[in-house]
Amino acid sequence: MKRRALLGAGAAALGAAGIGWSLLTPKRPGKLLRSRAPLPEPFAARLVVPPVLTGEEIIQREADLHILPGLTTRAWTYNGSFPGPTVVTRSGRAASLTHRNQLPESVVVHLHGGHTPAGSDGYPIDEIMPEGESPGTTHHDMAAMAGDMTVGRRTYRYPMNQRAATLWYHDHRMGFTGPAVYRGLAGFHLVRDDEEDALPLPRGERELPLMITDRAFEADGSFRYPTGDSAYMNGVLGDVVLVNGLPWPVHEVDPARYRLRLLNASNARRYQLELDPPPPGGNAFLQIGSDGGLLQRPIGHDSLAIAPAERFDVVVDFGRYKPGAQVRLVDRDGGDVMRFDVTGAGRDDDSAVPQELSRTVEPLPPPARVRTFRFNQGPDGTWRINDLEYRPGRALARPRLGEVEHWRFVTDFHHPIHLHLNHFQVVSRNENGLGAYDHGWKDTVDLRASEAVAVAVRFTDYTGTFMLHCHNLEHEDMAMMADFVVEA
Ligand code: C2O
Ligand code: CU
Ligand code: CU
């Protein structure tokens, strides 16, 4: 019953009336929700870098955050902060993390970009029920859909048999991921390795994880989310951009190179990021990595398209600006994101971006099999893959362990498509070569209206059930997900 949390009874009514959904919802990738609270001036808050997790336990609990001046926002948090603490792990060194649930609702934790055995992947019905709840009273979900539930806590095991990359963790509960992430359940997880450590990239204070989200607020400062309003089924867009949980923050930088690990953790908003003013000579962003870690070679961009869940690891050289310059990071079509104020100090910079970054982006061999997945909308408004709404336990594909497959994604709308378990390589966009943002190892690829994107993936190490889904969280909650089962 509660699965259609966002849409609620609205969709059923429309479906029953037989009204063509496309007549009702213009093909826009989301609808703007306006705040009822007064909004601050941009660049009043100072950027905060999320704390690094110490220990191996995260407590999920409510916390009152100060996001808007003079108001508090009751958030759902990992250890009391939004974003949650940054988890840092080492490639090749197994890690385990225990999550305790002191929230009023069940949760599921997924490590996005993690190469993780099925039992620790955060399958959407493998819920951690709140502490103190008894397992008999599963009032949250239909008993028939009960997954591998635990009460109060769960320990996730991450082998970390994967290369250095910017991962993130977030809630993944079936039907409720959109509101749970919106309330604050998201954090960074950085994997480091020797290959990357050997490069002279900017580090320390000059390496900044930046989580970009958009939100709307109620008059009392609480997050405003349109639960039950079918007008927002294309996706919820907020009118405030938060970076690391604060509105349009400002950060003082030395005139030197910085590594920015950009993550779009918004429910539905895409950004076209640019620097204003652009640096002399262009190529504002030197991309060094993608979702799955370092590129083979750096790629210069004047503008970066980043869809929900994508990561871009870029180096920006603020040494190209005069001390005193104020450099805004903007969304070309949507206004400000944050600002960097270039100071006169700290000119020393021994960092560099080598022409060869990584040797581990080798192309995959030809596929054993090609499959096509169509992302579309059903007459009742639900979002579907190959005409099917998500149902746990129904696999749309059964790839074999160790084999390479090409998966073609086609659509008539906008969908950021995400695969669990393995990173992939884009092999074509619209039967052509790659787009500017398709390079390297990725786990999320932006599919725009009327596009076809093919990716190559090898299913490695773990058998079992994993997910393929749209990462527009409103689409995901409205059933645009599928299981695939890796078989031995
Ligand atoms: Cu970031 Cu299955 O999701
Ligand atoms: Cu994921
Ligand atoms: Cu979608």
Side-chain angles (χ1 to χ4, degrees):
M1 263 322 282
K2 277 187 148 183
R3 186 155 69 82
R4 296 182 182 181
L6 174 65
L7 193 56
L14 289 167
I19 302 169
W21 191 259
S22 58
L23 296 175
L24 296 167
T25 51
K27 298 207 173 219
R28 259 185 255 116
K31 181 174 166 67
L32 184 67
L33 185 63
R34 288 195 188 279
S35 292
R36 291 169 169 154
L39 297 184
E41 290 295 309
F43 321 127
R46 296 202 167 267
L47 181 78
V48 171
V49 175
V52 170
L53 180 73
T54 53
E56 297 183 337
E57 183 176 270
I58 289 178
I59 299 181
Q60 302 194 26
R61 59 179 177 86
E62 290 187 307
D64 287 326
L65 306 181
H66 300 281
I67 299 175
L68 301 179
L71 293 171
T72 54
T73 304
R74 174 62 55 97
W76 285 12
T77 71
Y78 295 120
N79 277 1
S81 69
F82 170 59
T86 298
V87 179
V88 181
T89 56
R90 191 89 205 157
S91 175
R93 204 177 293 167
S96 64
L97 258 184
T98 298
H99 278 265
R100 291 175 56 188
N101 181 10
Q102 298 179 353
L103 291 166
E105 298 274 340
S106 286
V107 296
V108 172
V109 184
H110 169 59
L111 175 56
H112 182 124
H115 183 52
T116 305
S120 286
D121 190 46
Y123 188 61
I125 55 173
D126 291 352
E127 300 183 359
I128 313 173
M129 293 167 64
E131 279 183 7
E133 206 156 291
S134 86
T137 61
T138 57
H139 58 267
H140 299 292
D141 296 279
M142 290 166 277
M145 282 206 189
D148 175 15
M149 296 215 205
T150 58
V151 179
R153 64 172 66 209
R154 184 180 184 114
T155 299
Y156 294 86
R157 298 187 195 284
Y158 302 126
M160 289 294 132
N161 177 23
Q162 58 185 115
R163 62 207 294 265
T166 306
L167 315 184
W168 61 302
Y169 61 102
H170 61 77
D171 198 71
H172 213 302
R173 182 179 166 213
M174 185 161 119
F176 296 88
T177 298
V181 171
Y182 198 89
R183 284 175 169 137
L185 294 181
F188 280 101
H189 181 134
L190 308 182
V191 187
R192 302 196 181 272
D193 69 7
D194 295 344
E195 182 188 44
E196 190 181 280
D197 283 354
L199 300 177
L201 298 171
R203 61 187 74 214
E205 308 259 279
R206 293 180 184 169
E207 179 189 349
L208 298 172
L210 300 174
M211 179 189 288
I212 304 171
T213 57
D214 60 336
R215 295 289 184 270
F217 294 87
E218 297 288 358
D220 65 358
S222 58
F223 287 126
R224 182 165 187 223
Y225 189 82
T227 302
D229 186 344
S230 61
Y232 289 87
M233 64 177 311
N234 282 2
V236 175
L237 307 178
D239 58 357
V240 180
V241 175
L242 308 179
V243 180
N244 292 349
L246 289 171
W248 307 292
V250 63
H251 189 60
E252 282 192 358
V253 292
D254 300 329
R257 283 182 207 86
Y258 278 70
R259 176 179 184 180
L260 310 181
R261 297 179 183 255
L262 301 164
L263 158 64
N264 180 0
S266 306
N267 282 31
R269 188 183 283 279
R270 300 178 149 60
Y271 301 83
Q272 186 75 45
L273 298 176
E274 296 184 353
L275 292 180
D276 182 19
N283 279 341
F285 307 104
L286 195 52
Q287 187 190 354
I288 57 169
S290 189
D291 305 331
L294 290 175
L295 302 178
Q296 216 166 351
R297 278 178 288 280
I299 302 173
H301 300 278
D302 290 316
S303 187
L304 267 186
I306 181 167
E310 282 189 304
R311 285 87 72 210
F312 284 89
D313 202 334
V314 300
V315 171
V316 170
D317 186 359
F318 293 105
R320 298 164 78 189
Y321 292 93
K322 292 203 170 43
Q326 296 186 323
V327 184
R328 292 185 310 139
L329 179 66
V330 298
D331 175 13
R332 191 177 62 200
D333 322 302
D336 291 306
V337 174
M338 67 173 290
R339 196 178 75 197
F340 297 96
D341 288 358
V342 184
T343 67
R347 298 165 163 283
D348 55 302
D349 187 357
D350 55 6
S351 74
V353 180
Q355 270 315 299
E356 184 178 335
L357 294 166
S358 174
R359 297 169 186 275
T360 49
V361 197
E362 68 288 345
L364 291 169
R369 176 167 195 145
V370 179
R371 304 179 199 261
T372 298
F373 298 91
R374 271 176 309 106
F375 292 78
N376 55 13
Q377 198 167 28
D380 61 351
T382 54
W383 295 98
R384 300 168 165 194
I385 303 177
N386 288 350
D387 292 316
L388 295 169
E389 286 180 44
Y390 180 59
R391 200 175 74 206
R394 172 169 62 196
L396 291 202
R398 294 180 175 274
R400 293 192 74 99
L401 192 67
E403 284 192 348
V404 175
E405 299 201 354
H406 281 189
W407 285 14
R408 288 180 70 242
F409 305 134
V410 297
T411 189
D412 56 358
F413 198 71
H414 283 61
H415 302 289
I417 308 304
H418 170 52
L419 220 70
H420 288 207
L421 182 61
N422 281 100
H423 286 93
F424 54 72
Q425 294 176 359
V426 178
V427 292
S428 70
R429 187 176 280 274
N430 305 324
E431 320 301 333
N432 263 309
L434 308 195
Y437 312 113
D438 291 336
H439 294 268
W441 288 107
K442 291 186 57 67
D443 57 46
T444 308
V445 65
D446 192 22
L447 192 57
R448 291 173 295 249
S450 307
E451 285 197 323
V453 170
V455 306
V457 55
R458 192 203 297 267
F459 301 90
T460 60
D461 295 322
Y462 310 116
T463 55
T465 303
F466 296 92
M467 313 291 307
L468 158 73
H469 63 89
C470 176
H471 219 290
N472 175 315
L473 298 184
E474 282 71 43
H475 297 187
E476 172 176 339
D477 282 345
M478 283 298 305
M480 193 168 253
M481 293 204 291
D483 285 357
F484 65 89
V485 176
V486 179
E487 295 182 330

